[in-house]
């Protein structure tokens, strides 16, 4: 009968044509996507990988809200110039807890997968208020209003709960203390600060990111997030040393 | 338009609108501390406005039976007007974001107007607002003509068209408030996604019901493509938008997928939104309007078949070419690249089939700007698919990815192919739909055509230059073996091209404004005598068979 004969029959039957379309279109996705969930090597093991703190989640949500991903990628490719410009290439495990991932598709600005710790908090705050104050030729929009807006932290427990439902290992304790931990992370001299390092590790940044301790602003949250980029695990740096030692 | 509904349809409309209003109220209350509340208010107002609209004509006499002997084109008419309005809005925002890259303070110190928020407003307004309304409008028109059957009822097409535009409105206003999933071309949040899901099922049901009552034994090629568009977009939309809302009072949700799986799912969606929304649907448009306007049959039936199944099968494999050299396993990257190259065969099959159809009608292409829009569309479909396959090659992609080359490629497709075929089809449809002899001003159609072509070339050449220059600068080493350029130096080098791009975009936008004006003026001029369109009606029901009843 051949392809044309088969098609000649299909185009006379509405339901058969619809089913034919669904089958033909489903194969590619099934073969390419399903194994990514089942093949273990797809995502490396990184025992030191930590989850985002509630404040960093709030900052990440501001990053998403403002559409920063439209101009900044968070995915360093396995190319020499990228590794020399931005640092070790990105591993799959580094975005394991990223719901959704923010790999990006365009670099109107530079990649920021390893931005954490590269600049001071003061630099970030100045840069976000008016990028051209620190980089005169920058084309990034100003985000001065972030310093004026209080971050919404009262509902962060709900955010962590939702993230746990999609697979991020937040504990009951983390969820119960989410709002306090967000406050504590920007208030180092208060009793709330201790809980943050207890739950998220000694290396967690606890400080007034925008220079003003107390009630976190949206600027605090965003800078806290930017300062953790590339710092959730050492896996990428270890892979580099291991490769060099071979 | 509402007076065309029968009594029972008016009642059903009231029930649907009441449900919509209650949903809006519930969203407004649950989300009072969140942007969700604003969207609840918008939904509620849309519902209330609809209820008033229906009540206003509720007691008017029912439409007479004679309507069943005609095609039902009112939804198509509104869809075309909405498509043109979205085009003007979307292209205006597009040109504005383009100028923001030249003058970054064009945000006026506000959050809603910054690049990251209005860029998705631009993409959604042109893809979903302009493209989607164009597809819904033309598909309902083509479906009826090629089936020689009237739509099965009068309410479901309105449900689809108005529900879809409510989705577009929620999407665009959401971005300005910062409501976004951040997944490119799938930015709207969970509640808007649910609305689209319902609308889409009804859209498919209209298609199946109309095809079921067709008077032609074969389903015409345009409908294969429109069906693939509807079905596959439903699959893509459902899977990629799986997410966990923070609560019923929050607009925010968290994607069910993370990291590498999320990236693959997103670009499986993203590239196939290009394939099945921006290609398959518009090929459906092309397979009807181009041969009709040219007065020539499709060149090759067999090429249509090969192209159709090739596109439907192979496109779904190629999304991973957006992730070359990333943390995505290499075997998936290689599959994506391989299928991208093979995809050139069915793509050029369609482009060639369209251009060969014009053989014997090239003098019409010279004289008729409407047909010329469609010809340029077919040419750019061929060019863009070639460029796409080329850019999917891993080593080419290492240069082009993350640069403006991708932006240029997308616009070669979006302006050169999608917008051109849509403008051509709209210019062909408007006189047919409103029973006019021709467009109000053929000269303005010419103006639109040349502005669009000038804008397209300016845009695409600017982006080729900026993309390739920046890609090369990023990887240039000096003699001591270190990188030659800092990142900001590569940004400075982009400036002249960003100016050129914004100018090109303005030309294209200006063309769309002229198009909208010309269409409005065509509608406002007097019609032609009815008997000249006497042949444009469904096949009459044989005697003894009861006339079609809405809701049948």
């Amino acid at each position: 009968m051949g392809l044309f004969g088969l098609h000649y029959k299909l185009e006379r039957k509405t339901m058969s044509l619809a089913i034919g379309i669904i089958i033909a279109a489903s194969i590619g996705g099934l073969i390419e996507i399903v194994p990514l969930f089942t093949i273990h090597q797809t995502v490396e093991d990184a025992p030191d990988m930590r989850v985002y703190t509630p404040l960093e989640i709030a900052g990440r949500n501001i990053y998403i809200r403002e559409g920063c991903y439209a101009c900044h990628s968070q995915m360093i490719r396995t190319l020499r110039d990228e590794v020399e410009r931005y640092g070790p290439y990105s591993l799959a495990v580094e975005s394991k807890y990223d719901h959704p991932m923010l790999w990006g598709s365009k670099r109107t600005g530079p990649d920021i997968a390893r931005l954490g710790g590269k600049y001071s908090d003061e630099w970030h705050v100045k840069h976000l208020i008016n990028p051209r104050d620190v980089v005169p030729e920058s084309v990034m929009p100003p985000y001065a209003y972030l310093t004026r807006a209080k971050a919404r932290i009262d509902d962060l427990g709900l955010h962590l709960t939702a993230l746990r439902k999609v697979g991020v290992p937040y504990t009951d304790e983390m969820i119960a203390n989410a709002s306090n931990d967000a406050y504590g992370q920007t208030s180092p001299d208060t009793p709330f600060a201790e809980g943050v390092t207890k739950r998220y590790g000694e290396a967690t940044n606890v400080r007034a990111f925008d220079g003003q301790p107390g009630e976190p602003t949206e600027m605090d949250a965003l800078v806290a997030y930017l300062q953790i980029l590339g710092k959730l695990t050492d896996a990428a740096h270890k892979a580099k040393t291991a490769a060099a030692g071979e | 338009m509402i007076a065309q509904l029968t009594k029972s349809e008016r009642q059903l409309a009231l029930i649907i609108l009441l449900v919509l209003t209650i949903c809006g109220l519930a969203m407004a209350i649950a989300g009072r501390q969140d942007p969700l509340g604003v969207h609840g208010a918008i939904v509620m107002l849309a519902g209330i406005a609809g209820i008033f609209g229906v009540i206003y004509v509720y007691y008017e006499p029912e439409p007479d039976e004679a309507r069943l002997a005609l095609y039902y084109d009112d939804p198509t008419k509104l869809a075309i007007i909405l498509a043109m309005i979205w085009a003007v809005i979307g292209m205006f925002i597009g040109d504005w974001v383009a100028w923001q890259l030249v003058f970054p303070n064009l945000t006026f110190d506000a959050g809603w107007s910054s690049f990251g928020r209005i860029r998705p407003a631009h993409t959604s307004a042109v893809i979903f607002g302009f493209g989607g309304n164009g597809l819904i409008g033309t598909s309902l028109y083509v479906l009826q003509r090629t089936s020689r059957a009237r739509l099965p009822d009068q309410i479901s097409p309105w449900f689809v068209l108005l529900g879809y535009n409510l989705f577009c409105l929620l999407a665009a206003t959401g971005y300005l408030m910062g409501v976004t999933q951040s997944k490119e071309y799938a930015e709207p949040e969970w509640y808007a996604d649910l609305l689209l899901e319902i609308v889409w099922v009804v859209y498919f049901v209209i298609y199946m019901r109309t095809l079921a009552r067709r008077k032609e034994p074969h389903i015409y090629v345009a409908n294969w493509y429109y069906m693939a568009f509807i079905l596959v977009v439903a699959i893509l939309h459902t899977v990629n938008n799986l997410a966990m809302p923070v609560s019923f009072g929050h607009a925010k949700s968290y994607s069910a997928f993370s990291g590498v799986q999320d990236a693959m799912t997103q670009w499986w969606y993203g590239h196939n939104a290009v394939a099945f929304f921006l290609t398959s649907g518009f090929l459906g448009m092309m397979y009807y309007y181009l041969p009709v306007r040219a007065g020539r049959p499709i060149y090759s039936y067999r090429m249509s078949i090969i192209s159709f199944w090739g596109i439907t099968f192979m496109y779904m494999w190629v999304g991973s070419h957006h992730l070359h050299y990333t943390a995505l396993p290499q075997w998936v990257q290689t599959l994506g690249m391989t299928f991208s190259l093979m995809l050139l065969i069915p793509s050029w099959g369609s482009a060639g089939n369209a251009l060969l159809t014009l053989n014997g009608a090239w003098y019409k292409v010279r004289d008729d700007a409407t047909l010329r829009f469609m010809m340029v569309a077919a040419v750019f479909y061929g060019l863009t698919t070639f460029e796409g396959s080329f850019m999917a090659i891993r080593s080419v992609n290492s240069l082009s990815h993350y640069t403006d080359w991708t932006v240029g490629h997308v616009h070669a497709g979006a302006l050169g192919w999608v917008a051109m075929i849509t403008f051509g089809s709209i210019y062909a449809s408007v006189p047919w739909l409103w029973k006019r002899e021709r467009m109000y001003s053929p000269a303005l159609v010419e103006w639109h055509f040349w502005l669009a072509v000038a804008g397209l070339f300016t845009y695409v050449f600017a982006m080729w230059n900026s993309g390739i220059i920046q890609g090369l600068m990023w990887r240039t080493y000096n003699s001591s073996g270190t990188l030659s350029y800092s990142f900001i130096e590569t940004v400075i080098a982009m400036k002249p091209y960003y100016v050129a791009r914004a100018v090109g975009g303005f030309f294209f936008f200006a063309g769309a404004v002229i198009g909208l004006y010309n269409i409005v003026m065509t509608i406002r001029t007097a019609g032609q005598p009815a008997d000249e369109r006497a042949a444009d009606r469904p096949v009459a029901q044989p005697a003894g068979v009861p006339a079609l009843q809405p809701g049948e």
Side-chain angles (χ1 to χ4, degrees):
Chain A
M1 180 164 66
L3 174 70
F4 295 114
L6 177 67
H7 178 87
Y8 192 78
K9 283 192 168 175
L10 274 183
E11 71 167 29
R12 296 166 64 109
K13 296 195 171 60
T14 318
M15 196 49 84
S16 308
L17 182 62
I19 292 168
I21 290 170
I22 292 173
I23 292 172
S26 299
I27 298 169
L30 288 173
I31 291 182
E32 290 189 350
I33 298 175
V34 174
L36 298 179
F37 290 92
T38 57
I39 299 176
H40 180 71
Q41 293 95 312
T42 302
V43 180
E44 306 82 0
D45 289 317
D48 65 332
M49 178 83 180
R50 84 150 164 88
V51 294
Y52 293 107
T53 66
L55 186 71
E56 289 156 11
I57 284 291
R60 191 168 195 272
N61 289 342
I62 292 166
Y63 182 94
I64 290 173
R65 182 186 80 190
E66 300 303 336
C68 307
Y69 58 86
C71 294
H72 294 283
S73 59
Q74 293 186 23
M75 173 47 62
I76 302 165
R77 296 180 294 172
T78 54
L79 299 169
R80 178 184 160 190
D81 61 293
E82 298 217 350
V83 171
E84 289 184 11
R85 189 181 294 279
Y86 302 117
Y89 58 81
S90 300
L91 301 181
V93 67
E94 293 180 274
S95 49
K96 183 165 104 170
Y97 298 138
D98 286 9
H99 293 265
M101 58 86 208
L102 294 171
W103 292 10
S105 61
K106 177 73 175 69
R107 285 180 186 153
T108 304
D111 187 280
I112 56 173
R114 309 222 173 278
L115 186 64
K118 201 170 168 183
Y119 301 96
S120 66
D121 294 343
E122 294 74 38
W123 186 91
H124 277 299
V125 172
K126 263 191 175 170
H127 182 248
L128 285 163
I129 289 174
N130 183 16
R132 277 154 293 288
D133 286 348
V134 281
V135 185
E137 303 286 352
S138 168
V139 294
M140 187 170 125
Y143 291 98
Y145 56 89
L146 296 178
T147 50
R148 303 189 290 265
K150 289 264 170 280
R152 188 174 173 192
I153 58 170
D154 62 306
D155 61 348
L156 281 169
L158 292 172
H159 286 257
L160 265 52
T161 310
L163 280 164
R164 184 158 76 174
K165 284 185 189 148
V166 292
V168 184
Y170 284 110
T171 62
D172 291 340
E173 204 194 337
M174 288 170 168
I175 290 171
N177 291 288
S179 302
N180 288 343
D181 285 350
Y183 180 83
Q185 199 175 350
T186 57
S187 316
D189 300 326
T190 65
F192 297 109
E194 206 180 310
V196 182
T197 43
K198 196 179 87 193
R199 279 180 278 278
Y200 296 92
E202 286 301 324
T204 310
N205 300 319
V206 178
R207 53 187 190 245
F209 296 91
D210 66 353
Q212 321 276 329
E215 294 274 312
T217 60
E218 293 194 335
M219 184 64 86
D220 277 315
L222 183 58
V223 174
Y225 171 65
L226 296 178
Q227 292 290 29
I228 200 67
L229 287 173
K231 298 256 167 196
L232 293 177
T233 168
D234 271 342
H237 296 273
K238 280 188 190 134
K240 195 184 168 194
T241 2
E246 264 167 28
Chain B
M1 86 195 203
I2 306 170
Q4 279 291 311
L5 302 182
T6 62
K7 201 79 167 189
S8 61
E9 284 173 334
R10 289 175 203 172
Q11 287 162 355
L12 184 58
L14 280 179
I15 293 169
I16 294 170
L17 289 163
L18 196 65
V19 172
L20 184 73
T21 310
I22 292 167
C23 287
L25 183 66
M27 282 165 67
I29 293 170
R32 62 196 175 279
Q33 287 179 304
D34 194 85
L36 182 73
V38 179
H39 271 166
I42 291 176
V43 170
M44 194 169 69
L45 286 175
I48 292 172
I51 288 173
F52 272 103
V54 175
I55 289 177
Y56 190 68
V57 298
Y58 190 81
Y59 290 107
E60 285 195 14
E62 287 199 73
D64 64 37
E65 291 289 308
R67 77 185 191 282
L68 297 176
L70 297 168
Y71 293 120
Y72 191 46
D73 287 331
D74 288 359
T76 300
K77 289 180 180 176
L78 182 63
I80 284 177
I81 296 168
L82 286 171
M84 291 304 295
I85 292 172
W86 279 111
V88 168
I89 295 171
M91 289 171 196
F92 171 77
I93 302 175
D95 204 39
W96 181 15
V97 280
W99 283 112
Q100 282 194 352
L101 289 180
V102 184
F103 305 109
N105 285 326
L106 279 177
T107 62
F108 314 112
D109 197 26
W112 65 270
S113 59
S114 68
F115 184 97
R117 292 202 197 180
I118 61 173
R119 185 256 186 188
H122 159 62
T123 55
S124 284
V126 290
I127 296 172
F128 298 119
F130 169 51
N133 276 301
L135 286 172
I136 291 174
T138 58
S139 69
L140 296 179
Y141 182 92
V142 172
L143 173 66
Q144 295 183 86
R145 267 68 183 183
T146 56
S147 303
R148 298 214 284 163
R150 184 183 160 91
L151 293 176
D153 67 296
Q154 297 173 128
I155 193 156
S156 55
W158 290 116
F159 179 84
V160 170
L161 180 65
L162 299 175
Y164 180 78
N165 278 280
L166 181 59
F167 163 80
C168 293
L169 187 67
L170 292 180
T173 53
Y175 308 146
L176 303 185
M177 294 188 290
V179 176
T180 171
Q181 295 190 115
S182 84
K183 294 189 157 201
E184 283 184 77
Y185 320 115
E187 291 96 345
E189 274 291 355
W190 58 275
Y191 49 94
D193 291 337
L194 284 175
L195 169 66
L196 186 63
E197 198 80 39
I198 298 166
V199 164
W200 221 245
V201 170
V202 176
Y203 190 16
F204 181 63
V205 170
I206 294 178
Y207 237 84
M208 296 302 273
R209 289 180 68 201
T210 310
L211 285 175
R213 49 207 304 158
R214 72 186 183 278
K215 303 297 183 299
E216 293 285 335
H218 292 268
I219 301 171
Y220 181 62
V221 48
N223 292 321
W224 316 340
Y225 280 107
Y226 280 126
M227 278 171 74
F229 148 62
I230 298 170
L231 283 169
V232 183
V233 166
I235 297 173
L236 296 165
H237 175 77
T238 308
V239 175
N240 192 42
N241 285 306
L242 290 173
M244 176 58 61
V246 171
S247 80
F248 285 114
H250 282 80
K252 172 80 189 166
S253 68
Y254 289 98
S255 169
F257 311 114
S258 71
V260 62
Q261 292 92 358
D262 189 43
M264 184 58 221
T265 309
Q266 157 58 23
W267 287 110
W268 166 81
Y269 168 90
H271 201 82
N272 287 297
V274 175
F276 289 90
F277 205 99
L278 296 178
T279 302
S280 215
F282 292 91
L283 282 171
M285 218 183 255
M286 185 189 80
Y287 270 106
Y288 181 81
Y289 288 96
L290 185 135
V292 169
R293 187 75 183 189
R296 306 281 307 167
I298 284 290
Y299 173 74
S300 165
Y301 170 65
R302 293 199 158 195
M303 268 167 86
S304 313
I305 296 174
I306 293 172
S307 301
F308 175 73
W309 289 107
I311 284 173
T312 305
F313 174 68
M314 287 196 252
Y315 244 118
M316 295 296 262
W317 295 74
V318 307
S320 51
H321 71 221
H322 289 253
L323 300 167
H324 280 323
Y325 297 101
T326 67
L328 181 76
Q330 189 155 0
W331 65 268
V332 195
Q333 299 178 21
T334 307
L335 271 178
M337 174 172 81
T338 311
F339 273 86
S340 303
L341 290 171
M342 292 197 289
L343 193 56
L344 191 58
I345 296 164
S347 298
W348 275 27
S350 293
N353 212 357
L355 291 172
L356 290 167
T357 298
L358 292 172
N359 273 350
W362 285 99
Y363 68 96
K364 290 187 188 167
V365 176
R366 182 193 61 205
D367 297 336
D368 176 11
T370 301
L371 189 57
R372 216 180 307 126
F373 267 113
M374 300 185 203
M375 185 276 289
V376 170
V379 169
F380 265 83
Y381 178 63
L383 291 174
T384 311
T385 48
F386 174 78
E387 189 188 27
S389 294
F390 182 61
M391 291 168 79
I393 299 170
R394 200 183 269 122
S395 48
V396 179
N397 194 270
S398 74
L399 177 78
S400 73
H401 195 53
Y402 295 132
T403 74
D404 285 321
W405 190 354
T406 311
V407 182
H409 168 64
V410 169
H411 283 82
L415 307 179
W417 155 238
V418 173
M420 291 287 185
I421 192 70
T422 309
F423 288 138
S425 301
I426 287 178
Y427 281 131
S429 308
V430 166
W432 298 341
L433 281 167
W434 275 274
K435 317 280 186 252
R436 303 289 185 267
E437 209 174 318
R438 55 171 175 77
M439 288 298 297
Y440 164 73
S441 165
L444 285 181
V445 182
E446 285 286 348
W447 268 96
H448 182 184
F449 175 81
W450 288 109
L451 278 170
V453 169
L456 167 65
F457 276 88
T458 313
Y459 192 112
V460 172
F461 274 93
M463 292 292 96
W464 277 338
N465 277 290
S466 67
I468 294 170
I469 289 171
Q470 195 172 30
L472 290 173
M473 286 177 85
W474 285 343
R475 55 164 66 172
T476 300
Y477 282 85
N478 57 31
S479 51
S480 55
T482 53
L483 291 166
S484 284
Y485 300 102
S486 67
F487 192 89
I488 194 66
E489 286 175 300
T490 73
V491 175
I492 296 165
M494 297 300 101
K495 190 148 189 173
Y497 308 106
Y498 284 169
V499 174
R501 179 255 296 272
V503 171
F506 180 78
F507 287 156
F508 207 88
F509 161 72
V513 173
I514 290 174
L516 178 60
Y517 170 77
N518 202 0
I519 289 165
V520 170
M521 291 309 287
T522 307
I523 296 168
R524 292 179 58 180
T525 53
Q528 67 182 198
D531 56 355
E532 286 189 25
R533 299 289 298 168
D536 185 35
R537 53 179 60 215
V539 173
Q541 293 293 322
V545 177
L548 302 182
Q549 287 305 317
E552 186 183 302

